Amino acid sequence: SVSSSFPFSLLSISSRKQRKNTIRDGFEDILEERRNSSDLKYALRCYAPVLYKGVTPCKANMLKNIVLQSDQLRYVINQVSQESGEAPDIIQEEASVILEEMAHRLQISTVRFFAFALSKAFKTLFQHVCVNEEGIQRLQQAIQEHPVVLLPSHRSYMDFLLMSYILYTYDLALPVIAAGMDFMGMKFVGEMLRMSGAFFIRRSFGGDKLYWAVFSEYVKTMLRNGFAPIEFFLEGTRSRTCKSLTPKLGLLNIVIEPFFKGEVFDVNLVPISISYERILEESLYARELLGVPKPKESTSGLLKARRILSEDYGSIHVYFGQPVSVRSLAQGKVNRSTYNLFPRHIPRKPMEETQSFVNDTAYRIVRLQEDNMVLKPWVLMASLLLQNLEGMELSVLTEQTVWLRGLALSYAAFLDWPDHAPTAKVVSSSLALHRGLACVSGGRVSLVVGEPLGPVTPEEALFNRAVSVLSCASYRNQVLHVFLRPAMLAVAMLHLSDEVYNCFSFLWDMFSNDFILCPGDTVQDFEEACYLLVKTGAVQMPQQDIVMTDIGQPTLSFFNGLLEPFLQGYQVVCRYLCEEASEGLTEKQYIPAVRSFHSVLCVFTGNLRCYEVLSSDMQKNALAALLRMDAVRKVKVADQVTLIVNKMAVNSIDDILGKNRMISHINQTQISPSLSLVAVAEDLCRDGLTPSYIR
Amino acid sequence: DTVLAAATITMKLTSTVCFPRQEIMKWNGWGYSDSKFLFNKKGQAEFTGKRYRLSGMVLPSLQDWFENTFGASVNHKSPATPALNASAVPPASLNEAFVEDLKATGIPFSHEAEDRVFRAHGHCLHEIFALREGKKFERVPDMVVWPNCHSDVVKIVELACKHNVCLIPYGGGTSVTSALECPPEETRCIVSLDTSQMNRILWIDEKNLVAHVEAGIIGQDLERLLNESGYCTGHEPDSMEFSSLGGWVATRASGMKKNVYGNIEDLVIHIKVVTPRGVIEKSCQGPRMSTGPDIHHFILGSEGTLGVVTEVTMKIRPIPEYQKYGSVVFPNFEAGVACLREVAKQRCAPASIRLMDNEQFQFGHALKPQVSSIFTNFVEGLKKFYITKFKGFDPHQLVVATLLFEGDRERVLQHEKQVYDIAATFGGLAAGEDNGQRGYILTFVIAYLRDLGMDYYVVAESFETSVPWDRVLDLCRNVKERINRECKERGVQFQPLTSCRVTQTYDAGACVYFYFAFNYRGLADPVHTYERVEHAAREEILANGGSLSHHHGVGKLRKEWMKESISSLGVGMLQSVKDYVDPDNIFGNRNLL
């Protein structure tokens, strides 16, 4: 039994509110019709979408003129002109060039071309492309009533073509899509994308006032006039890990502002969850996370990617969520009249109240995306395999998958489990689809590790192993949002030395870069975790205590193992910063340094299984957490950003994580036995082994 | 040939009247008892009486418009209670000592139920609705007094202080802010101080062009009496048939022709107010002073919380030689607003310029009287053809601006040309004097039309705001949308009518006036629903940069937003004035603060 310093009197009331309505729409396979009728006819069919309040579509050129003539832009042009001493005409010309570089040139003919080409490609690549048609109907309604912003999850390059393809299929207004400038590198393709509705923004334009003004006015003009739905990715970039990324707020701020300024009555945000059974970029991502640079987008690269056309990528599920009214969300949170005292065309930093509202909204939308992500059986299998890296009996895997399925369903996971199929069949067909990741031999299932020809250095072996672990982790990660909160509670419970809630809250804070945890929701998440664990009988809560039940052990152990790689990974980072980091470590050096520090640990101990810390994603998140907790500070020296480590603070964080792990070992040996990393690291350091020695 | 001249022909009465106004005015609706809209046996609308231009006329298109707009039917009546039920009126709780002392002064008073009820309300929807339904009154004044002059008021206020009696000044009774409602928690005797007998012009000073007038005078009487001497004030609020000079001062009224004559605060030179602490007035009539904050501005808009305005010296002007109506049709509201903005920028606004949205334009059309000649019909048809077919205006988008020019003939014509030229640059087409004049008629009959609506399950109200130019369009759109949405959410079964017009232009913004009406069949408590929607609409106005009120005032209806509007420090400043001037809250109508 563990006592908690948490006011449980609140619990019963607010956790009742927790129980979300998890009734979800059914899906239709849009490829079915494509397999039965002419793609050409489909691409050439009459396309007449309904528009916002019946506006007439605006030609791309007219749109540019409206933007260039706008008071907002003219104001900034004059401002920049005064600051730089250049004539306004010249700045105006600059603005015009920026706009030219940015603007979309949506053309129905290009869309038709894509409709044709993608039909062919999708049919080859995927078994099904499933869409919830009720969601489409809701969207159609929303488009007519309010400006609409489409917010899909981002896991693949495919996402935005897929979105436009679906909207075309259902005769909905085609969106304009914010795309990263990197696409522009692909000459021909870039232009094609532009003509299918993409507009391009530079990845960073921090202090460039003019760029920002052109960009935000361009987006707002489209939004205010309702010319087309606006689409962008809240996560900012493709998630290489398949975990949702911490949302970026820039564009969201831009699309919400017209509501606060009264320029539109409301804005509807539509969360869209795109789930891939197998991601096209699967192993590419793993390599990228391990520091093999991302291949530059190029047309020839795309053509080489043709070979992927010969593989089976399973199904895609696209779920259009309930449109979220910004007006309703902001009710009582933002006082719009604070915008009354300032001319609306003068750019202004959003007020604190607004900023926190936008931040909150962004998190909520990403959580809605997560909620409606469709999970395949393989996701559950991957979660189990990663806790058994030495492999497991097929029968055990099957049995535990069934057990995990029950758990996931009772936690309202959106699981796409084939109806009426025997479990063994489900497991084997999942293994077949993912044969690149896992194989069965002699009744045992284990991860596939790419074995290059010829002799392999220990580092190469480690790298190959890490690729397969990270690839597999990208599937486990898909289910984390379902289990995260109870899993953190499980870890906290097994950590006896502190109060459960405090420990939960520590983990919550620590991991808030790795997972989508809405700011300020610690208490609510704790309640949800308690509620879920109680619901599935893993714990009981007599009075102020949280007690594991007799049948709770497997659940808590599984959860503990689920978070183990993260706990370990963060610990390695802490160790590195305490033991190894040199004075004047720059931000740039940080990732390669952690990576090689860890390689040393692994290569020399041979049996260490913490591969995930090799991922730059985890390293960055761990650093961000330490920065947030003031254990590390950033100092700008000349052009370099240097990290100043507060070793005391890092040490004590490491301590907490370490205690956690020790405890977890004792309790879960049967599922995930592993070594104490700390001990190994300490040994190594005592032996004077350093990363540089290895190099 | 003005609307008003027509309206005032038979209004000799008021100057000689009469305590019981209810003899010529409705006790449970707007205006004169003899004037009302009704659907005759043929189902056609007509306007009874002889007072107005529309009086005695048949309005053939009104029924269609009414039924189509509201989903109402002339067969579904919701008639009002025919007469006041005296038993629904709480008995007068009199302060005997006060009554005794009052008797000694010889000032007339009454505690008849009808007199008291008549002064217990203004013209908010909920007030009129309750009267029509014959609901029980929670609190009405316990007696009514009719002072005849300033010194009578001084006596009454002194006695009220002496006996701790609550006074509520009553002018024309046209308040639409619940300002006349008696606070239900008031336990003292409430005395309604009716200023209607203080209705004389005391003197006219032609050298300085000012007139000294008793504050109880009704707008139309003031104008008529001044006209007899060749002058006018030019102050013409839409309620001027019934509202009083004192009321204008107490609410910061605004007149239709403020572009030439100014609003009430520009018109007054001197004010005399009787307060519990004594009489406030300035010692001279200098046209402008730098003597600290203008004490007039404590009085203007004080809504009867500080005292009674008894006499006012105000500017007068010679009657203009020439008056001309006009109108311009625009393809849409945006173009119309852009034109009004330009007119304001060039500071060439005519005496009145108003822009009605499409809904109001159609409403105005529904009020066209039957035309007798085939020729007129033909010309009308031709005009319509020209605008919609030839010029390509969408009849469901087009809007109309109504204009009124005043001055000497030559200058009016010149001015007219200037305004029409500006309008043309915004796609505006001149649409004739008739259309213009009809727009202003609507202003005077709209309140009568609300009574017609209430006879057929339709409730309606108007509200207003002022807003910077750049937010006019956004505010209008968002407020209308908010109303539609709130109605839907609150179970209103029929599409509401939401309409607005820009009624005044200023250098930095405009006054916007909304009409809002809906068919309430199927609603358990239509007034409550209405009030929630209006509340939401006001929040929307404030969120969109509109003011709490341009000229209706705050009363008790909008008190809750005062802090937000003028800051709590601002409210504190006003409160400290109230506390000083009226420490015992004798003027206890609880408006404003």
Side-chain angles (χ1 to χ4, degrees):
Chain A
S1 135
V2 189
S3 83
S4 81
S5 58
F6 186 77
F8 277 103
S9 51
L10 296 171
L11 196 69
S12 54
I13 310 155
S14 36
S15 61
R16 210 166 295 132
K17 275 188 275 170
Q18 289 292 333
R19 291 164 220 184
K20 283 177 251 164
N21 185 3
T22 45
I23 297 168
R24 297 185 178 101
D25 305 334
F27 284 103
E28 294 293 324
D29 179 7
I30 60 170
L31 283 191
E32 202 173 297
E33 206 194 318
R34 294 280 43 76
R35 295 193 206 277
N36 298 323
S37 66
S38 152
D39 288 336
L40 193 62
K41 236 173 160 177
Y42 161 78
L44 295 176
R45 80 195 160 83
C46 169
Y47 167 73
V50 284
L51 295 173
Y52 169 59
K53 299 221 168 115
V55 292
T56 43
C58 175
K59 287 265 156 22
N61 266 335
M62 195 172 108
L63 180 63
K64 284 184 207 163
N65 279 336
I66 300 176
V67 174
L68 288 174
Q69 305 293 316
S70 67
D71 295 338
Q72 286 80 351
L73 190 53
R74 291 220 303 256
Y75 178 86
V76 174
I77 286 173
N78 285 331
Q79 201 183 25
V80 171
S81 151
Q82 271 166 20
E83 284 167 8
S84 66
E86 292 273 13
D89 288 359
I90 294 175
I91 311 288
Q92 167 93 20
E93 190 46 42
E94 258 178 61
S96 175
V97 170
I98 294 173
L99 193 56
E100 201 59 36
E101 173 196 272
M102 181 183 306
H104 77 82
R105 276 197 298 278
L106 185 60
Q107 270 183 0
I108 186 66
S109 54
T110 314
V111 174
R112 291 186 191 285
F113 164 78
F114 272 114
F116 180 76
L118 290 176
S119 293
K120 297 286 179 211
F122 287 166
K123 281 187 283 188
T124 320
L125 287 169
F126 304 108
Q127 295 166 11
H128 310 282
V129 173
C130 300
V131 176
N132 65 325
E133 290 191 343
E134 276 118 299
I136 294 283
Q137 280 158 18
R138 289 191 295 257
L139 176 59
Q140 185 167 27
Q141 186 66 31
I143 285 176
Q144 290 171 64
E145 286 174 5
H146 301 292
V148 161
V149 180
L150 304 174
L151 299 169
S153 58
H154 202 11
R155 302 287 174 269
S156 167
Y157 274 143
M158 207 61 143
D159 292 329
F160 91 72
L161 286 174
L162 177 66
M163 281 292 297
S164 297
Y165 182 83
I166 291 169
L167 296 184
Y168 172 82
T169 302
Y170 285 102
D171 218 19
L172 287 173
L174 288 169
V176 289
I177 308 121
M181 203 65 135
D182 19 10
F183 275 112
M184 287 280 290
M186 313 201 270
K187 277 266 157 38
F188 176 67
V189 174
E191 285 314 297
M192 285 293 281
L193 295 179
R194 199 192 276 285
M195 287 189 285
S196 63
F199 64 96
F200 295 100
I201 38 181
R202 296 179 191 160
R203 279 269 171 226
S204 60
F205 44 91
D208 193 339
K209 243 187 232 176
L210 186 65
Y211 191 87
W212 177 261
V214 173
F215 164 54
S216 69
E217 196 48 31
Y218 181 66
V219 175
K220 284 181 197 168
T221 304
M222 292 189 288
L223 184 98
R224 281 194 288 255
N225 296 296
F227 292 139
I230 293 177
E231 177 180 316
F232 64 90
F233 299 104
L234 262 181
E235 296 164 283
T237 182
R238 290 169 299 151
S239 165
R240 270 69 167 172
T241 57
C242 280
K243 277 184 291 147
S244 293
L245 302 178
T246 305
K248 304 277 183 295
L249 305 182
L251 256 163
L252 193 62
N253 257 313
I254 291 176
V255 296
I256 284 181
E257 201 181 58
F259 164 70
F260 287 136
K261 288 185 170 174
E263 294 164 342
V264 294
F265 182 76
D266 198 356
V267 174
N268 275 350
L269 309 176
V270 184
I272 297 158
S273 315
I274 308 179
S275 335
Y276 294 89
E277 187 167 10
R278 247 191 94 191
I279 291 159
L280 297 169
E281 294 99 328
E282 183 182 85
S283 66
L284 217 59
Y285 284 161
R287 280 159 206 280
E288 230 181 274
L289 290 171
L290 290 168
V292 179
K294 167 180 162 191
K296 208 161 185 269
E297 280 81 359
S298 72
T299 308
S300 61
L302 195 80
L303 293 176
K304 272 181 220 141
R306 259 185 331 177
R307 100 189 137 71
I308 59 174
L309 283 176
S310 55
E311 291 205 36
D312 179 2
Y313 286 89
S315 313
I316 304 178
H317 286 84
V318 182
Y319 194 95
F320 289 81
Q322 191 79 38
V324 175
S325 148
V326 172
R327 175 176 274 266
S328 321
L329 275 188
Q331 181 72 38
K333 291 196 189 124
V334 178
N335 180 3
R336 281 183 287 155
S337 61
T338 48
Y339 286 81
N340 289 345
L341 295 177
F342 210 79
R344 293 183 294 177
H345 66 277
I346 299 180
R348 218 158 55 119
K349 204 169 168 267
M351 279 161 287
E352 212 172 290
E353 193 182 55
T354 316
Q355 272 176 6
S356 80
F357 170 76
V358 172
N359 191 38
D360 239 47
T361 304
Y363 274 88
R364 305 229 170 263
I365 297 285
V366 175
R367 282 211 62 192
L368 288 171
Q369 288 175 353
E370 285 184 334
D371 278 349
N372 292 323
M373 283 290 202
V374 170
L375 306 176
K376 286 290 188 175
W378 168 249
V379 165
L380 304 179
M381 291 161 62
S383 309
L384 292 163
L385 280 170
L386 281 174
Q387 295 191 27
N388 297 275
L389 286 180
E390 69 289 355
M392 58 202 295
E393 294 292 324
L394 179 58
S395 57
V396 176
L397 175 65
T398 308
E399 185 190 316
Q400 292 198 0
T401 304
V402 171
W403 169 79
L404 192 52
R405 176 192 176 214
L407 194 64
L409 285 177
S410 61
Y411 288 5
F414 198 176
L415 198 57
D416 183 38
W417 193 278
D419 291 330
H420 317 299
T423 316
K425 179 113 193 303
V426 173
V427 169
S428 67
S429 67
S430 295
L431 285 167
L433 188 71
H434 296 279
R435 58 182 172 274
L437 290 179
C439 60
V440 193
S441 81
R444 275 186 84 77
V445 185
S446 54
L447 294 190
V448 173
V449 181
E451 295 286 348
L453 299 168
V456 186
T457 66
E459 279 165 304
E460 276 169 351
L462 176 72
F463 180 82
N464 286 334
R465 188 85 180 143
V467 168
S468 78
V469 169
L470 287 184
S471 300
C472 201
S474 76
Y475 291 94
R476 174 211 59 202
N477 286 346
Q478 295 177 27
V479 81
L480 281 179
H481 70 90
V482 177
F483 292 137
L484 176 64
R485 289 158 187 82
M488 287 196 298
L489 180 58
V491 172
M493 280 179 68
L494 294 165
H495 172 0
L496 294 165
S497 70
D498 209 337
E499 304 246 86
V500 172
Y501 176 72
N502 292 343
C503 184
F504 179 88
S505 164
F506 168 81
L507 292 170
W508 192 97
D509 196 21
M510 189 84 198
F511 287 142
S512 56
N513 289 78
D514 249 310
F515 308 114
I516 302 302
L517 295 164
C518 300
D521 271 5
T522 322
V523 170
Q524 200 183 318
D525 284 343
F526 181 68
E527 290 176 352
E528 188 183 318
C530 294
Y531 167 72
L532 291 175
L533 282 182
V534 170
K535 183 184 167 190
T536 46
V539 303
Q540 285 175 334
M541 289 174 49
Q543 280 113 40
Q544 296 287 298
D545 291 348
I546 306 180
V547 191
M548 183 168 81
T549 60
D550 303 341
I551 55 160
Q553 168 72 11
T555 308
L556 296 192
S557 293
F558 169 75
F559 282 157
N560 214 38
L562 194 65
L563 291 189
E564 173 95 352
F566 295 91
L567 295 164
Q568 283 185 355
Y570 276 54
Q571 225 181 338
V572 170
V573 170
C574 288
R575 285 282 99 181
Y576 164 73
L577 290 173
C578 284
E579 310 286 341
E580 210 48 53
S582 54
E583 290 269 319
L585 171 74
T586 65
E587 201 182 7
K588 270 193 195 136
Q589 293 163 344
Y590 163 77
I591 283 181
V594 176
R595 203 171 271 143
S596 52
F597 171 75
H598 183 62
S599 301
V600 172
L601 294 186
C602 292
V603 172
F604 279 79
T605 56
N607 52 0
L608 199 69
R609 359 185 131 257
C610 175
Y611 296 96
E612 291 187 45
V613 73
L614 288 169
S615 148
S616 56
D617 180 66
M618 187 177 285
Q619 291 161 1
K620 283 178 198 158
N621 290 335
L623 179 62
L626 293 171
L627 284 164
R628 196 159 16 78
M629 294 169 139
D630 288 330
V632 178
R633 275 183 309 128
K634 275 189 192 179
V635 178
K636 205 167 173 188
V637 184
D639 283 346
Q640 299 263 344
V641 178
T642 310
L643 302 176
I644 308 284
V645 182
N646 175 348
K647 294 201 174 170
M648 283 267 284
V650 174
N651 242 323
S652 76
I653 290 170
D654 177 32
D655 265 4
I656 302 175
L657 291 169
K659 274 186 225 143
N660 256 320
R661 266 187 23 73
M662 304 280 220
I663 302 304
S664 64
H665 285 248
I666 300 158
N667 284 311
Q668 58 160 76
T669 36
Q670 92 255 48
I671 285 196
S672 177
S674 70
L675 288 167
S676 165
L677 185 76
V678 186
V680 176
E682 273 165 1
D683 288 347
L684 279 171
C685 293
R686 220 171 296 124
D687 293 348
L689 289 171
T690 66
S692 54
Y693 174 77
I694 283 296
R695 252 185 261 124
Chain B
D1 187 37
T2 72
V3 185
L4 269 166
T8 50
I9 287 167
T10 53
M11 265 307 292
K12 294 273 184 234
L13 269 170
T14 356
S15 55
T16 53
V17 172
C18 108
F19 308 153
R21 300 189 203 199
Q22 55 269 35
E23 278 175 17
I24 61 157
M25 291 174 69
K26 296 192 191 84
W27 70 278
N28 64 354
W30 179 259
Y32 301 108
S33 306
D34 57 18
S35 301
K36 65 182 291 189
F37 284 95
L38 51 81
F39 288 116
N40 63 25
K41 292 207 176 73
K42 280 192 266 172
Q44 283 187 319
E46 56 179 85
F47 191 41
T48 63
K50 297 193 185 102
R51 296 171 191 272
Y52 298 89
R53 244 181 178 232
L54 282 179
S55 298
M57 290 196 183
V58 170
L59 313 165
S61 4
L62 188 59
Q63 185 202 339
D64 266 2
W65 177 86
F66 182 76
E67 295 192 332
N68 292 335
T69 305
F70 296 109
S73 159
V74 295
N75 299 319
H76 292 132
K77 280 207 81 171
S78 51
T81 318
L84 176 66
N85 174 9
S87 67
V89 184
S93 108
L94 298 174
N95 180 322
E96 295 301 338
F98 174 78
V99 175
E100 280 311 304
D101 280 359
L102 188 64
K103 267 185 193 155
T105 65
I107 299 169
F109 65 90
S110 155
H111 41 78
E112 292 297 320
E114 287 193 349
D115 290 329
R116 289 157 53 216
V117 166
F118 193 84
R119 287 156 189 83
H121 66 85
H123 283 271
C124 288
L125 176 73
H126 68 269
E127 294 170 317
I128 300 300
F129 198 90
L131 291 170
R132 290 173 55 97
E133 296 277 289
K135 290 243 171 71
K136 216 169 156 56
F137 297 89
E138 198 175 350
R139 189 76 170 93
V140 302
D142 298 300
M143 60 190 286
V144 182
V145 291
W146 283 273
N148 194 45
C149 59
H150 172 77
S151 63
D152 279 358
V153 175
V154 173
K155 284 177 206 157
I156 294 167
V157 174
E158 272 170 11
L159 290 180
C161 293
K162 181 177 164 197
H163 299 289
N164 194 21
V165 160
C166 172
L167 291 178
I168 297 185
Y170 182 89
T174 56
S175 152
V176 284
T177 58
S178 301
L180 290 167
E181 270 176 21
C182 297
E185 67 274 21
E186 181 58 77
T187 51
R188 298 173 295 182
C189 169
I190 299 180
V191 176
S192 175
L193 190 153
D194 184 323
T195 59
S196 61
Q197 305 312 301
M198 309 197 301
N199 57 3
R200 286 154 294 230
I201 296 178
L202 298 176
W203 43 257
I204 294 175
D205 174 353
E206 292 174 284
K207 296 239 167 45
N208 294 309
L209 284 180
V210 294
H212 191 66
V213 188
E214 287 184 313
I217 196 165
I218 299 301
Q220 60 172 322
D221 292 343
L222 174 62
E223 223 48 22
R224 181 170 41 75
L225 293 171
L226 284 174
N227 288 355
E228 285 169 10
S229 320
Y231 295 102
C232 66
T233 63
H235 184 68
E236 296 184 12
D238 291 358
S239 60
M240 71 173 292
E241 289 175 277
F242 307 108
S243 57
S244 70
L245 171 55
W248 300 338
V249 169
T251 55
R252 294 180 67 89
S254 170
M256 171 178 108
K257 300 194 290 196
K258 72 93 194 156
N259 294 334
V260 174
Y261 300 95
N263 286 318
I264 194 70
E265 67 273 20
D266 311 309
L267 286 165
V268 294
I269 293 294
H270 184 268
I271 308 173
K272 204 189 258 187
V273 188
V274 181
T275 77
R277 284 259 182 180
V279 176
I280 315 172
E281 61 180 319
K282 292 184 186 174
S283 67
C284 73
Q285 299 189 21
R288 183 181 185 275
M289 300 181 204
S290 173
T291 47
D294 190 341
I295 56 155
H296 281 173
H297 286 288
F298 289 126
I299 310 304
L300 286 154
S302 60
E303 302 192 357
T305 58
L306 300 178
V308 188
V309 180
T310 54
E311 290 172 17
V312 175
T313 308
M314 73 190 294
K315 296 180 196 171
I316 55 172
R317 299 289 304 166
I319 297 175
E321 170 194 311
Y322 189 65
Q323 227 187 12
K324 193 174 180 192
Y325 286 98
S327 64
V328 184
V329 185
F330 293 96
N332 53 48
F333 194 61
E334 289 76 4
V337 171
C339 173
L340 261 64
R341 203 280 160 266
E342 184 60 27
V343 166
K345 199 188 231 170
Q346 296 192 21
R347 293 200 170 165
C348 63
S352 169
I353 178 166
R354 286 178 171 180
L355 180 74
M356 301 196 259
D357 70 357
N358 183 262
E359 286 80 1
Q360 226 163 109
F361 167 76
Q362 299 199 16
F363 185 13
H365 259 251
L367 291 173
K368 266 193 180 174
Q370 201 156 31
V371 276
S372 40
S373 86
I374 298 172
F375 177 71
T376 331
N377 247 334
F378 175 72
V379 171
E380 286 295 315
L382 213 58
K383 271 193 215 155
K384 195 173 166 191
F385 178 82
Y386 175 73
I387 288 177
T388 59
K389 294 292 178 317
F390 189 70
K391 283 288 174 182
F393 285 19
D394 177 350
H396 298 287
Q397 291 285 315
L398 65 82
V399 300
V400 62
T402 59
L403 311 165
L404 173 60
F405 297 91
E406 269 190 16
D408 63 66
R409 198 183 139 82
E410 206 174 309
R411 240 189 260 162
V412 162
L413 296 178
Q414 222 178 350
H415 194 178
E416 194 185 21
K417 184 176 180 310
Q418 186 186 8
V419 172
Y420 283 126
D421 284 351
I422 294 174
T425 64
F426 294 93
L429 295 174
E433 286 183 64
D434 241 31
N435 276 320
Q437 196 167 359
R438 204 176 9 256
Y440 292 98
I441 292 177
L442 182 63
T443 301
F444 289 96
V445 300
I446 187 82
Y448 287 105
L449 277 162
R450 180 171 82 175
D451 290 340
L452 177 72
M454 286 204 275
D455 285 337
Y456 295 92
Y457 289 98
V458 171
V459 286
E461 184 70 289
S462 60
F463 49 88
E464 43 74 31
T465 186
S466 56
V467 58
W469 277 116
D470 72 314
R471 293 172 191 260
V472 170
L473 288 175
D474 289 331
L475 181 135
C476 292
R477 184 198 52 238
N478 289 348
V479 170
K480 285 182 182 183
E481 175 106 35
R482 180 77 184 265
I483 290 173
N484 287 332
R485 189 189 255 217
E486 293 282 336
C487 281
K488 211 186 218 169
E489 280 170 14
R490 293 173 194 283
V492 176
Q493 314 270 314
F494 304 86
Q495 175 78 15
L497 169 73
T498 55
S499 168
C500 65
R501 62 170 185 248
V502 180
T503 59
Q504 291 289 13
T505 63
Y506 292 87
D507 287 346
C511 167
V512 181
Y513 205 94
F514 288 91
Y515 289 138
F516 156 44
F518 62 84
N519 181 340
Y520 67 81
R521 293 188 70 198
L523 289 182
D525 188 351
V527 168
H528 178 74
T529 305
Y530 164 77
E531 283 173 344
R532 297 322 303 159
V533 177
E534 191 193 333
H535 190 273
R538 181 57 58 181
E539 289 198 319
E540 194 60 33
I541 286 175
L542 297 176
N544 283 274
S547 64
L548 191 53
S549 171
H550 170 263
H551 60 274
H552 281 174
V554 175
K556 289 180 273 289
L557 195 61
R558 288 184 269 276
K559 258 164 87 163
E560 64 180 288
W561 289 292
M562 272 299 272
K563 264 192 191 148
E564 189 185 320
S565 290
I566 64 168
S567 81
S568 34
L569 200 68
V571 171
M573 287 168 78
L574 295 184
Q575 186 64 52
S576 65
V577 171
K578 164 78 179 172
D579 292 345
Y580 175 77
V581 172
D582 183 14
D584 298 322
N585 195 29
I586 296 300
F587 288 90
N589 60 18
R590 305 201 186 226
N591 291 336
L592 211 55
L593 295 173

